[in-house]
C-alpha cells in the first residue's frame, strides 16, 4: 500500500501543522530521515503520511567553548562531521552510510557504528533535543544545560524510539576534541577464538583502542570481487581484524611511541599464535585503504540480496555463538553462504546470508526467515540482543520476544500510550 | 508521621517479597539508600514502609576486559572507587558525600559531582541495572551488553526517577582507565565574570580539564572558621577557582609538560587580569589540601542550617544570573548571608542562604522559602533548571513548574502510571 502523502516540512511550525492536521483527520505519520535504516522503521505500509525531514537540514549553531553543535534533523552525519572539523572538534559517531544517513534518524535508532568501543552510542552524545508530540506541542528537552535532574529524562525516551513517540525536530550534540592522530592495522587471524584473544590483549595494553572491527574471509572476497583491488595478504586467512588506536597527545614523539607500542603488541600476538600476519598502515592513504575493506562490505554484498542480522552478545560469548551458528547454517541452509562482520569489541555481529544466484528470491526469503528463530533462539541462550544497533522497526517486531519479556512489552505499550495515545506516530513499529 | 516500618532486605527475592506484601496490603514504599540526598526523596512522610538497601552491599563482579563492575545498590560510592582502583580502573563519578552515599541512590538521583565536565553524569556510566517493579517482577535491563536497541531504553527511566518507578536491586557500572596523573591549582579571582573568562581560557587550551570548581570568599571563610587551617593566599579575594587537569599519558616528561602548560595558561590569565594569584599544588598532599577547601564547604555550613539551592544554567548565563541574584538577596533578605559554590564549568551552582544565629529557624525558613520563587523565576528567565543534580524529591516539587511544562508533567504521570499504576513507590515525590 502506498503512502497517503509524502510531506517535506521546512520548519518546526510546519511539522506541528502536519501533526495537527494528521491527528485531526485520523491519518498516521511515519517520520523519515535518510532512509538508510535496515529495520524498516521508516517504511509506510498502511497508507500513512510520510513526514520527511530532508528539507530541515540546517546547522544552527556551533559553540566551541561548550563543545556543542545544534542542528535540524535532516543534516547528514557526514555534514555534522565536516562542520565539527571546521571548528577543530569531533562528533565521534561514525558509520558507513554517513553520507546519506540523517542525524535525526541516527537519534531515532540510537545508532552505533565503528567507534562505539571508544565513544559509545549516539545516546551518549545527545545533550538535548526538541520533539513534536501528538498534541502538536513541541517539547524542549534540553540542549543548553549539562545538568537537569527534574523528573524523568524524556530526551532518552525519544532516542531509540524509532519515530514511535513523536518527531525529533532539533538536536544539540556534544562534540569532543579529535584524537591527535591514529594508527591502523589489519591482522590476519586463524579463527574466532583468536580474534577474541587478540581483543583482550589489545584492550588490556596501554594502547587507546578506538576500533576493533572484524570480518571473515568471505566478506573480504566479496569486497575485492565487487570493486577490485589487491588482497591485503599473500595468503587468505579465515578471519581479519582491523585495529585502530589513537595517538593520545600531539607530536611526532607520541606518534612514534604509539606506532612502536602497536608493533610490539602485534608482535606479541603473533608469537602467542593469535595472529598470522599484520599490516600496519604507513600513511593516511593506506589507513583509508584498510578501512575501506571493512566499510565497503555492505555495498559489496548488496547484489546478493543478503538477509541481514544485527545481533549483540556479551563479548565473552561471541566465539561460543559463532561455533554453533556457522555449522547450523551449513546444516540447515545448504548452498547459502553465511558471512559475518562487525564491531566485535562491542559484541556486535552483523550476520549475512547471501542468496545464491540460482535461487528465486521468495524461496530464499522463506528459507532464511524460517531460520531466524534458530538464530534468535541461540542469541537468547547466549544472553544477547536480537538488535544491537539497527533497531526493531518492522522487520524484527515478530522476534522481539527473544529480547524483551511480556512485562517489558506491557511497559512499552504504557509509555507509548502516555506519549501517543491515538497511535499517531509510526503505528505497528517495534511492538 | 513516622514510617510504618523500616525493612532491610538482603536479596533481590526479599525485595520482591516486600514489594508484593506492600502491594497486597496497600502500603506504599520509600526506597532508601545512604540518605545523603538533599531533596527529601528518601523521606517517608505518609506512614510508608521504608525499604533500606543498606544490607545489599556486595560487589558481585569486576570484569577488567569489559571494564565493568557489577554490584548491589547498597555499596557506597567510595567502595566502588576502591574496588575499581584495586583493578587498575576508575569509576569517575565523585562527590563529597561518597563515604556514605550508596551507588543505588546515585543512580536514583543521576548524581553529578566534581568531574562532570570531564566524565558526565551517573547516567553516562550505567551499562545496566535490574529493578523490581510494582508487580514484584524483576526487570533485567542490561549489563552484559554494550548495545541493545530493542525498544525504549527503560534503564534510562529508572536513572533519575528518585525511586518513583521501582527499586534498583543490581547495577552494572562502566569503568575507565584512570588518568596517568593530575595537577591541581587554586586561583584567586576578582569577580564572577573573571571566573567565566578563566573557564573559557582553560577550556580552549590544550589542557585536559577534569574539574573547574568555584567558591566565593564566604565559603572559604566558613571552611577555615569551622575546621581551622591557614588561608591559601595572604589577601582574601572575592572568588576562588579550583582547577584540576589530567596528565594525558604516563611518564615524568608528560607530567612536566602538563605542569608547564598549566603554569603558562595561568600566567596568561594573570596578565589578562582574569586571576589575581594562583597556587599550584607541588605534591599530592597539597593537591588534597586544595580539594579539601572545596569539599569541606557543605559540612562547614551545616551548623548555620543553610537553605540550599542546586541550580543549573547555560554556562554563558551564569554571570548574568549572579549579577541579579546576589543584590536581590541583599535587598530582600537583609542580614542573611548568601554563599555560592559549585561546578561552574557545568553551569551548576549551589546557592546557600545561612541562618543568622539570632534568627529563629521557623522565621528563617518562612523568609527564605518566600524568596524561592524569586530565585527560581530568575533561573527560568535565564533558561536554567531548578535542580541540576540533587533531584526534586519533596522539597522542590512545588517549584517543578519553573522547569517543566504542563505537557511534560502530564507525560510524567503517564509514565508513572505505566510502571506503577497504584502509586506504590515513593508517592508524592517529584510531581
Amino acid at each position: 500500500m502506498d503512502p497517503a502523502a509524502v510531506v517535506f516540512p521546512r520548519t518546526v511550525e510546519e511539522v506541528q501543522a502536519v501533526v495537527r492536521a494528521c491527528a485531526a483527520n485520523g491519518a498516521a505519520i511515519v517520520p523519515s530521515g535518510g532512509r538508510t535504516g535496515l529495520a524498516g522503521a521508516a517504511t509506510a505500509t498502511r497508507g500513512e503520511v510520510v513526514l520527511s525531514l530532508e528539507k530541515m537540514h540546517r546547522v544552527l549553531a556551533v559553540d566551541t567553548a561548550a563543545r556543542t553543535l545544534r542542528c535540524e534533523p535532516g543534516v547528514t552525519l557526514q555534514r555534522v562531521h565536516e562542520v565539527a572539523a571546521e571548528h577543530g572538534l569531533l562528533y565521534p559517531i561514525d558509520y558507513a552510510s554517513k553520507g546519506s544517513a540523517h542525524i535525526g534518524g541516527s537519534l531515532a535508532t540510537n545508532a552505533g557504528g565503528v567507534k562505539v568501543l571508544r565513544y559509545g552510542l549516539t545516546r551518549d552524545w545527545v545533550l538535548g533535543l526538541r520533539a513534536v508530540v501528538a498534541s502538536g506541542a513541541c517539547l524542549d528537552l534540553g540542549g543548553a544545560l549539562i545538568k537537569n535532574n527534574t523528573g524523568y529524562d524524556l530526551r532518552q525516551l525519544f532516542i531509540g524510539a524509532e519515530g514511535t513517540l513523536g518527531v525529533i525536530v532539533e538536536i544539540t550534540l556534544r562534540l569532543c576534541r579529535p584524537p591527535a592522530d591514529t594508527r591502523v592495522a589489519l591482522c590476519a587471524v586463524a579463527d574466532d577464538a583468536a580474534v577474541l584473544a587478540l581483543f583482550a590483549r589489545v584492550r588490556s595494553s596501554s594502547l587507546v583502542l578506538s576500533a576493533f572491527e572484524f570480518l571473515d574471509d568471505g566478506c573480504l572476497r566479496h569486497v575485492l570481487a565487487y570493486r577490485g583491488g589487491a588482497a591485503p595478504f599473500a595468503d587468505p586467512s579465515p578471519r581479519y581484524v582491523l585495529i585502530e588506536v589513537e595517538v593520545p597527545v600531539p607530536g611526532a614523539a607520541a606518534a612514534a611511541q604509539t606506532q612502536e607500542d602497536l608493533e610490539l603488541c602485534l608482535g606479541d600476538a603473533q608469537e602467542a599464535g593469535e595472529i598470522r600476519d599484520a599490516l600496519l598502515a604507513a600513511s593516511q592513504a593506506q589507513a583509508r585503504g584498510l578501512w575501506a575493506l571493512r566499510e565497503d562490505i555492505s555495498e559489496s554484498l548488496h547484489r546478493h540480496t543478503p538477509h541481514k542480522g544485527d545481533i549483540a552478545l556479551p563479548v565473552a560469548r561471541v566465539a561460543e555463538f559463532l561455533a554453533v551458528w556457522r555449522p547450523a547454517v551449513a546444516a540447515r541452509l545448504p548452498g547459502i553462504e553465511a558471512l559475518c562482520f562487525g564491531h566485535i569489541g562491542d559484541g556486535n555481529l552483523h550476520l549475512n546470508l547471501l542468496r545464491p544466484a540460482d535461487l528465486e528470491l521468495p524461496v530464499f526469503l522463506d528459507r532464511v526467515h524460517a531460520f531466524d528463530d534458530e538464530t534468535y533462539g541461540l542469541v537468547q541462550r547466549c544472553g544477547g540482543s536480537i538488535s544491537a544497533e539497527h533497531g526493531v522497526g518492522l522487520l524484527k517486531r515478530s522476534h522481539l520476544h527473544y529480547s524483551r519479556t511480556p512485562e517489558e512489552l506491557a511497559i512499552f505499550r504504557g509509555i507509548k500510550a502516555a506519549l501517543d495515545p491515538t497511535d499517531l506516530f509510526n503505528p505497528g513499529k517495534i511492538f
Side-chain angles (χ1 to χ4, degrees), chain A residues 18-309:
Chain A
V18 171
V19 168
R20 289 194 179 109
C22 287
N25 292 285
I29 294 170
V30 176
S32 170
R35 307 197 68 77
T36 59
L38 295 172
T43 308
T45 58
R46 305 175 175 192
E48 300 97 330
V49 171
V50 172
L51 193 158
S52 168
L53 281 314
E54 74 174 60
K55 306 273 189 205
M56 292 179 68
H57 53 57
R58 288 181 304 160
V59 174
L60 301 170
V62 177
D63 182 334
T64 53
R67 292 188 193 152
T68 58
L69 183 153
R70 192 159 59 84
C71 67
E72 294 179 331
V75 176
T76 64
L77 177 57
Q78 186 163 318
R79 180 88 186 113
V80 169
H81 287 177
E82 288 164 0
V83 174
E86 284 164 18
H87 291 82
L89 292 167
L90 174 73
Y91 178 67
I93 303 294
D94 194 8
Y95 44 89
S97 62
K98 61 188 160 200
S100 313
H102 288 185
I103 194 71
S106 80
L107 263 73
T109 56
N110 186 27
V114 294
K115 301 286 174 70
V116 171
L117 193 60
R118 169 84 170 102
Y119 294 103
L121 293 147
T122 296
R123 185 182 302 286
D124 299 309
W125 294 89
V126 179
L127 192 57
L129 59 86
R130 297 175 70 207
V132 174
V133 291
S135 65
C138 183
L139 304 185
D140 191 345
L141 304 175
L145 299 176
I146 294 158
K147 293 174 166 181
N148 183 14
N149 279 346
T150 49
Y152 308 139
D153 191 342
L154 301 181
R155 173 185 54 152
Q156 302 294 339
L157 274 181
F158 286 91
I159 302 169
E162 303 186 43
T164 59
L165 300 179
V167 184
I168 296 171
V169 291
E170 191 184 298
I171 295 154
T172 304
L173 298 171
R174 293 170 56 214
L175 305 174
C176 65
R177 282 195 189 141
D181 202 349
T182 55
R183 288 293 178 270
V184 175
L186 186 74
C187 304
V189 183
D191 55 36
D192 299 319
V195 169
L196 290 156
L198 178 63
F199 174 66
R201 173 183 298 276
V202 183
R203 178 76 160 179
S204 61
S205 76
S206 64
L207 293 159
V208 180
L209 190 59
S210 53
F212 191 93
E213 295 284 306
F214 158 78
L215 53 156
D216 61 20
D217 183 42
C219 293
L220 181 63
R221 271 190 293 106
H222 279 277
V223 169
L224 298 178
Y226 174 68
R227 51 88 156 147
F233 299 101
D235 298 315
S237 197
R239 311 278 182 263
Y240 300 94
V241 168
L242 183 143
I243 294 174
E244 185 187 273
V245 298
E246 293 185 357
V247 178
V249 289
Q257 183 68 54
T258 301
Q259 176 95 12
E260 189 187 321
D261 291 347
L262 180 56
E263 283 167 8
L264 274 173
C265 181
L266 295 180
D268 290 348
Q270 195 152 12
E271 250 179 53
E274 288 155 13
I275 64 176
R276 294 174 164 188
D277 203 352
L279 207 59
L280 253 81
S283 66
Q284 285 301 315
Q286 275 190 21
R288 277 194 301 274
L290 295 181
W291 262 115
L293 295 175
R294 163 66 185 83
E295 296 214 313
D296 291 347
I297 296 172
S298 282
E299 199 180 324
S300 302
L301 300 183
H302 193 67
R303 56 182 168 165
H304 301 286
T305 52
H307 179 61
K308 299 181 180 194

Side-chain angles (χ1 to χ4, degrees), chain A residues 16 35 60 87 104 231 251 263 270 337 341 345 350 353 371 398:
Chain A
Q16 292 178 290
R35 307 197 68 77
L60 301 170
H87 291 82
E263 283 167 8
Q270 195 152 12
E337 191 179 8
F341 64 97
H350 296 320
L353 298 172
F371 188 69
S398 61

